[in-house]
């Protein structure tokens, strides 16, 4: 979705934009209301209907990312760890591969990489779509909905979600609702007292609820989307909510604010050498706000604020220092963190790997929409700066891909080593080791030396690093500007939306450093780049040919006598 004006119902916009290739005849337009009613009746009659007939498979079906073929998905909703299993809910159309009939789909995983899709958790019903929200485990039965009062209820989940009622006459209405599951998320009951918060507003959505120990309350962060505000509510029982503080407008306000999240993270010191994990020196709160449009790469993106939360108000440490973006790629939106991860364990989050600029036009996988790899989070102090002490500069959000859980232990690196190698030497090893693939983890420390540009070319149509390739995705560092970029203009199928082929870039936070550490997660149709140990991240979808599996380091030429680009610590971990 490009724009969300107060005058146009959101759902209408989405339906128009997401079916751009199916112009309607005048007759069809007249018939549309009737068809919509018929479809709605059909939908309500069978809310758990099986997905639409499956389409042919493609080379882009992700290996490491959750998707729900052959149907549509967007935001992740209410990810939670319960009874040792990760539960993931998500925006899901049970009836097709375009946005519509929003319901909560459901999947579960024990390692955050392999997911099993389960029956729909919360279906659209009576004209009310189930928009984004969150879940918590109500172990003490604070809601009174999990069992008889007084009983402990481990495994009872409570979901808070937005009910979005489509009303063509008066405009949509969005309010906050509750559902509960006494069996760890398998079956759900919508609360009879819904809605639990109703302001009669059209753009009021995406409640994120968590337990705030110091105020002994449940807290909800929810978005007043077109006002660019996150509002906080407080509750003892998850059913009755009283208003607390508000945050915003702040940072990027060029688009609607959606899917807020609020959580506390450890602050790690900037470990001098930059590749060791610094020790925990503090804790701070992060308010994540997804914005659409207005992200640095165009369209949808996630900005974050760092500060303090006292149970009512969020106060930014460095007001006006932003916007700070979690990800500079085109395909990272609607991020949300997992509830219930054990104390002492990193907070995890996951996002929709997509962008409303073109989500409805994506080539079918089959199905449209997929999630990013889950990522663990912490805050890092910036390195001491000549004129500023670290506390005067904003802390940096660090994200690290979860791909090394025990059941997904990467096989050994195919080549590595600590001494630096020239680009030519490293490429010789790629050839001799026959390194290629369409799903892998690549780690490398890159020193661009005096080269204007250096990096790695992925998913190439040529296996020979010395040969040009018609198809490739380039991850590179531009020395003069201190930027890292991902160029997908020749990444494969790119002609299906004008916004898709792009070179997107991010300012490096340590552009003065001699070398930049990169971890790149390559999958059948995506490239997630974690630079500077996760301080700078770029997530992008690609649609390459199955045969484009080549890999090559490169640099622009350097004349004799000046420092060539070098690589070190290369690890190539096949994941196919
Ligand atoms: C974000 C979003 C949410 C909304 C959901 C509807 O992508 O627009 O604000 O709840 O998608 O599918």
């Amino acid at each position: 979705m490009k724009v969300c004006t107060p005058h146009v119902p959101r759902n209408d916009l989405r339906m128009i934009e997401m079916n751009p290739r199916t112009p309607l005849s005048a007759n069809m337009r007249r018939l549309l209301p009737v068809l919509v009613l018929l479809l709605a009746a059909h939908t309500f009659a069978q809310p758990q209907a099986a997905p639409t007939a499956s389409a042919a498979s493609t080379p882009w079906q992700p290996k490491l990312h959750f998707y729900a073929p052959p149907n549509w998905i967007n935001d992740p909703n209410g990810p939670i760890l319960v009874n040792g299993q990760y539960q993931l809910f998500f925006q899901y159309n049970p009836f097709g591969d375009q946005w519509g009939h929003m319901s909560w789909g459901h999947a579960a995983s024990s390692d955050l990489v392999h997911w099993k899709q389960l029956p729909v958790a919360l279906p659209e019903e009576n004209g009310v779509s189930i928009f984004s929200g969150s879940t918590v485990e109500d172990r003490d039965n604070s809601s009174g909905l999990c069992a008889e009062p007084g009983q402990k209820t481990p495994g009872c989940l409570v979901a808070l979600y937005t009910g979005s009622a489509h009303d063509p006459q008066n405009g949509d209405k969005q309010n906050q609702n509750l559902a509960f599951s006494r069996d760890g998320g398998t079956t759900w009951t919508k609360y009879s007292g819904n809605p639990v918060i109703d302001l009669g507003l059209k753009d009021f959505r995406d409640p994120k609820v968590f337990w705030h120990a110091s105020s002994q309350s449940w807290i909800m962060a929810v978005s007043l989307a077109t006002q660019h505000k996150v509002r906080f509510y407080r509750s003892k029982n998850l059913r009755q909510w009283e208003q607390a503080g508000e945050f915003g407008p702040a940072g990027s306000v060029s688009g609607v604010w959606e899917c807020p999240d609020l959580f506390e993270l450890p602050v790690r010191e900037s470990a001098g050498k930059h590749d060791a994990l610094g020790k925990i020196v503090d804790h701070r709160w992060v308010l994540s706000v997804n914005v659409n449009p207005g992200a640095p790469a165009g369209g949808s993106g996630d900005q974050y604020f760092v500060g303090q939360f006292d149970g009512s108000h969020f106060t930014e440490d460095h007001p006006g220092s932003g916007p700070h973006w979690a990800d500079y790629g085109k395909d990272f939106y609607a991020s949300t963190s997992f509830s219930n991860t054990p104390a002492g364990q990193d907070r995890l989050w996951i996002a929709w790997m997509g962008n409303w600029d073109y989500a409805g036009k994506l080539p079918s996988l089959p199905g449209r929409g997929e999630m990013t790899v889950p990522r663990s989070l912490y805050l890092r102090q910036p390195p001491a700066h000549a004129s500023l002490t670290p506390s005067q500069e904003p802390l940096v959000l660090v994200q690290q891909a979860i791909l090394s859980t025990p059941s997904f232990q990467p096989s050994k690196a195919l080549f590595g080593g600590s001494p630096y190698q020239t680009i030519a030497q490293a490429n010789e090893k790629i050839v001799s080791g026959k390194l290629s693939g369409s799903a892998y983890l690549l780690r490398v420390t890159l020193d661009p030396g005096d080269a204007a540009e250096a990096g790695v070319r992925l998913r190439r149509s040529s296996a020979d690093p010395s040969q040009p390739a018609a198809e490739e995705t380039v991850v590179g560092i531009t020395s003069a500007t201190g930027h890292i970029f991902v160029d997908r203009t020749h990444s494969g199928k790119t002609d299906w939306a004008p916004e898709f082929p792009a070179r997107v870039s991010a300012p490096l936070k340590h552009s003065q450093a001699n070398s930049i550490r990169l971890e790149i997660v390559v999958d059948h149709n995506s490239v997630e780049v974690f630079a500077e140990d996760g301080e700078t991240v770029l997530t992008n979808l690609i649609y390459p040919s199955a045969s484009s599996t080549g890999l090559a380091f490169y640099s622009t030429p350097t004349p004799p006598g000046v420092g060539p680009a070098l690589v070190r610590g290369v690890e190539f971990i096949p994941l196919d």
Side-chain angles (χ1 to χ4, degrees):
M1 199 182 79
K2 286 193 196 91
V3 221
C4 191
T5 68
H7 313 293
V8 185
R10 205 178 151 71
N11 293 359
D12 286 355
L13 263 177
R14 230 168 238 180
M15 281 172 186
I16 292 162
E17 294 211 5
M18 292 194 173
N19 295 295
R21 285 170 296 182
T22 44
L24 296 177
S25 70
N27 275 345
M28 273 299 279
R29 250 180 256 126
R30 270 194 296 277
L31 276 174
L32 197 60
V34 181
L35 289 173
V36 168
L37 278 179
L38 284 174
L39 189 62
H42 168 80
T43 304
F44 302 146
Q46 15 173 336
Q48 302 274 347
T52 42
S54 66
S57 68
T58 70
W60 308 308
Q61 287 168 272
K63 174 80 186 176
L64 313 166
H65 295 85
F66 175 73
Y67 73 124
N71 290 43
W72 167 278
I73 66 170
N74 54 290
D75 313 357
N77 296 145
I80 186 166
L81 177 63
V82 61
N83 302 331
Q85 275 239 323
Y86 295 96
Q87 307 293 327
L88 174 66
F89 306 93
F90 45 88
Q91 291 291 283
Y92 181 65
N93 180 353
F95 303 99
D97 62 5
Q98 286 294 337
W99 187 87
H101 299 290
M102 295 325 293
S103 301
W104 274 25
H106 184 197
S109 168
S110 50
D111 65 3
L112 292 167
V113 178
H114 302 96
W115 293 95
K116 181 174 168 21
Q117 197 180 339
L118 298 163
V120 168
L122 294 171
E124 173 194 55
E125 218 171 2
N126 304 327
V128 179
S129 305
I130 315 295
F131 274 18
S132 287
S134 53
T135 65
V136 291
E137 186 179 14
D138 188 12
R139 280 179 222 117
D140 296 330
N141 192 20
S142 66
S143 64
L145 298 168
C146 293
E148 294 312 309
Q151 277 179 267
K152 294 274 180 199
T153 50
C156 177
L157 299 191
V158 171
L160 276 302
Y161 63 90
T162 299
S164 184
H166 188 45
D167 181 343
Q169 255 85 54
N170 307 311
D172 295 3
K173 286 282 179 300
Q174 298 185 341
N175 52 32
Q176 313 321 321
N177 296 264
L178 186 153
F180 58 95
S181 166
R182 294 178 173 182
D183 55 12
T186 307
T187 57
W188 289 85
T189 307
K190 288 173 185 155
Y191 174 47
S192 56
N194 279 335
V196 294
I197 308 177
D198 190 359
L199 308 180
L201 290 177
K202 174 174 153 321
D203 284 295
F204 177 47
R205 57 182 173 271
D206 308 339
K208 173 70 182 202
V209 174
F210 64 93
W211 176 248
H212 186 245
S214 33
S215 64
Q216 289 290 293
S217 307
W218 297 104
I219 302 289
M220 177 192 293
V222 57
S223 179
L224 295 162
T226 50
Q227 299 176 38
H228 310 118
K229 285 183 183 168
V230 176
R231 184 176 279 182
F232 306 111
Y233 287 86
R234 212 183 357 241
S235 173
K236 294 289 177 202
N237 60 15
L238 293 161
R239 290 180 286 111
Q240 293 152 309
W241 293 89
E242 72 178 22
Q243 193 186 323
E246 255 180 23
F247 178 82
S252 171
V253 293
S254 45
V256 287
W257 280 23
E258 300 185 314
C259 301
D261 199 352
L262 178 64
F263 44 81
E264 198 180 22
L265 288 183
V267 179
R268 291 183 180 275
E269 67 182 4
S270 172
K273 275 181 58 216
H274 196 57
D275 45 7
L277 200 60
K279 71 169 190 294
I280 295 177
V281 289
D282 204 352
H283 284 83
R284 273 289 185 287
W285 287 80
V286 171
L287 177 63
S288 152
V289 177
N290 290 273
V291 188
N292 177 57
S300 320
D302 178 15
Q303 65 172 333
Y304 66 93
F305 304 89
V306 177
Q308 293 290 20
F309 180 68
D310 64 3
S312 291
H313 294 93
F314 175 83
T315 330
E316 209 187 341
D317 282 346
H318 296 276
S321 63
H324 303 286
W325 298 100
D327 194 300
Y328 284 82
K330 272 200 174 257
D331 298 302
F332 183 89
Y333 196 60
S335 59
T336 188
S337 66
F338 284 73
S339 297
N340 241 12
T341 37
Q345 196 171 302
D346 284 344
R347 181 164 285 264
L348 304 170
W349 76 358
I350 186 167
W352 172 46
M353 197 149 56
N355 190 319
W356 284 120
D357 267 2
Y358 44 67
K361 302 178 195 165
L362 294 175
S364 168
L365 292 172
R368 285 191 180 77
E370 64 194 275
M371 302 304 171
T372 63
V373 287
R375 302 158 181 200
S376 66
L377 303 174
Y378 65 88
L379 291 165
R380 189 182 282 157
Q381 279 183 331
H385 188 279
S387 57
L388 294 171
T389 61
S391 63
Q392 288 175 291
E393 288 182 59
L395 301 164
V396 178
L397 183 67
V398 177
Q399 300 176 66
Q400 283 165 339
I402 292 288
L403 276 177
S404 30
T405 52
S407 52
F408 205 69
Q409 204 54 257
S411 49
K412 67 175 175 12
L414 292 190
F415 78 99
S418 51
Y420 273 108
Q421 302 166 334
T422 62
I423 299 287
Q425 287 166 338
N427 281 343
E428 271 165 32
K429 293 214 176 162
I430 287 179
V431 174
S432 62
K434 296 194 170 57
L435 299 194
S436 66
S438 53
Y440 54 87
L441 192 62
L442 177 70
R443 297 195 180 111
V444 58
T445 300
L446 179 74
D447 173 1
D450 292 317
E453 191 185 304
V456 58
R457 297 176 166 144
L458 310 160
R459 300 301 312 264
R460 307 185 77 226
S461 50
S462 168
D464 181 347
S466 66
Q467 291 303 309
E471 201 170 287
E472 61 184 13
T473 299
V474 187
V475 179
I477 288 167
T478 317
S479 303
T481 61
H483 276 66
I484 180 163
F485 68 85
V486 177
D487 188 338
R488 67 176 181 194
T489 50
H490 297 101
S491 55
K493 195 168 168 55
T494 60
D495 59 356
W496 46 271
E499 302 87 354
F500 186 80
R503 173 175 159 136
V504 298
S505 73
L508 287 165
K509 304 215 165 57
H510 306 267
S511 55
Q512 301 309 317
N514 290 337
S515 58
I516 305 293
R517 180 113 190 103
L518 300 177
E519 176 164 294
I520 308 178
V521 179
V522 176
D523 198 354
H524 297 168
N525 88 314
S526 60
V527 172
E528 289 163 278
V529 177
F530 299 84
E532 305 182 298
D533 290 310
E535 288 188 26
T536 305
V537 185
L538 300 98
T539 300
N540 290 283
L541 293 168
I542 52 171
Y543 294 85
S545 315
S547 54
S548 292
T549 56
L551 164 69
F553 294 108
Y554 81 99
S555 78
T556 49
T558 45
V562 304
L566 299 169
V567 298
R568 159 169 76 89
V570 180
E571 290 176 68
F572 177 87
I573 300 153
L575 297 172
D576 230 336

